[in-house]
Each structure stands twice: as structure tokens, then as C-alpha cells.
Amino acid sequence: MRALMLDFQPRRRSGPLGWSLLAAGVVLALTCVALGQHVSDQSSQQQGHLQTAQRVLTGDTGTKLSLTPAQIREQAQNLAEMRKVSQQLRRPWEHLFATLESMPRDNIALLTLTPDARKGQVRITAEARDLEAMLDFHRRLEASDELSDVSLLSHEIVANVPEHPVQFNLSATWEIGDANP
């Protein structure tokens, strides 16, 4: 009798489909690694350009030089100017606008409002129904907590309109106590 050969795990044979899938996977992995390296190089290059641009904008030459007295004075002036701008931005603009809007203006129409935060002044251009309304508006502005030293800069009676309204310009000092550093 012949010996019995039992093969419970047959040999697997790789076909062309398996080898082609393996090759495609290897090519895909190598492509991803190459693209990742390229993106990393581009990022490093862009970072270098950014640092160069920042040095140019800030005037940093890479070496630490001592400043001359003239440069120190110029920097101090620039710093003082930046502080003034910062102070202007911290002024309570909404409160000024709310104050002007809350005033009764039955016979007054506000045309323009030009605040000058640096000088702490406000210029108001308005139109009144008559001279008495203009003077009353002037008195109410002077009595407000926000504005003081209200001055009439100019006025003109509009003759070509039947009601003869009065156009006028006022200047006032804008008093605030909470915007100072």
C-alpha cells in the first residue's frame, strides 16, 4: 500500500495580480514620502523668507548695535506718538455719540460731526429752524457733562429756502476723565 500524503495547508501561489498590487503600494508609499519631503522643504524656504521680511520691516540687521542719542530721541518720539494714538483709540466714542443723539433736537438737524481726539475737540455742523433754536442747542451743549467751551464758529441764514433755516458750525472741547492712562 502506498503512503498517504495529506496536505492540510496548500501552498499559496502569488499571481500577477498580487505582485502588481504590491508594486503599486510601494510606488504610492515612495510618492507620498517624496511629496512630504517637498512640502517640508517649501515650508522651510517660506519660513526663511518670512524671517527675512520681518528683519527688513523692523530694520533689524542681525547685529546688535548701540543706538546713537539721536536714534534714541527718535524712538522716544515715535513711542510718544504711538501712545497718543492708543489714547485716542481708548476714548469713549460711543458715549459722545449717545450724548448728542439723546439731546432733544426738535428744531435742529445734525449734518456732520468731526471729532478730533488729539486736540480733545468736536466740530459740529448743523442746521436750525431759526436763530433761537440754534442758541438753545448751543446752551444745551454747554450744559452737557461731555462738552465744554462750546463756541459758535460761523452761521449763515439760508435765504433761498422759504423757511430761512440757519446753518452753523460749533466747536466744543470733549471732556472725558476715564480715557487717560
Side-chain angles (χ1 to χ4, degrees):
M1 172 170 224
R2 289 182 38 201
L4 191 56
M5 294 282 282
L6 295 175
D7 190 13
F8 291 108
Q9 290 185 342
R11 287 185 155 181
R12 294 192 177 182
R13 297 186 184 214
S14 301
L17 178 63
W19 286 109
S20 62
L21 285 176
L22 177 65
V26 168
V27 168
L28 182 63
L30 290 175
T31 304
C32 287
V33 167
L35 281 174
Q37 183 65 32
H38 179 70
V39 168
S40 176
D41 291 343
Q42 289 292 327
S43 175
S44 297
Q45 187 179 17
Q46 291 296 326
Q47 186 69 20
H49 288 307
L50 178 63
Q51 288 174 352
T52 303
Q54 284 177 339
R55 274 192 231 111
V56 168
L57 288 175
T58 59
D60 184 15
T61 60
T63 59
K64 299 292 181 187
L65 299 175
S66 61
L67 298 176
T68 64
Q71 290 173 330
I72 293 172
R73 282 191 300 272
E74 182 181 355
Q75 282 186 346
Q77 289 173 347
N78 289 341
L79 184 61
E81 189 172 326
M82 285 189 280
R83 284 184 180 144
K84 286 179 185 177
V85 169
S86 175
Q87 183 180 6
Q88 290 174 20
L89 293 175
R90 287 194 313 256
R91 284 188 175 256
W93 298 99
E94 295 83 16
H95 191 63
L96 171 68
F97 297 142
T99 299
L100 290 172
E101 288 176 358
S102 68
M103 292 184 145
R105 297 185 321 260
D106 298 332
N107 297 322
I108 300 290
L110 293 179
L111 302 177
T112 62
L113 178 66
T114 310
D116 185 355
R118 187 177 331 178
K119 294 180 182 177
Q121 293 184 339
V122 177
R123 183 176 177 144
I124 301 169
T125 303
E127 186 172 272
R129 192 172 302 253
D130 54 23
L131 284 172
E132 186 59 38
M134 178 189 74
L135 294 173
D136 185 48
F137 183 69
H138 183 279
R139 280 188 223 103
R140 282 186 271 142
L141 285 177
E142 186 71 42
S144 72
D145 293 335
E146 288 286 317
L147 301 173
S148 65
D149 299 328
V150 180
S151 303
L152 179 64
L153 299 176
S154 66
H155 71 285
E156 176 184 353
I157 298 175
V158 182
N160 58 356
V161 177
E163 293 85 23
H164 301 296
V166 179
Q167 289 186 348
F168 60 97
N169 291 310
L170 295 173
S171 176
T173 302
W174 183 12
E175 299 286 336
I176 55 171
D178 56 342
N180 293 332

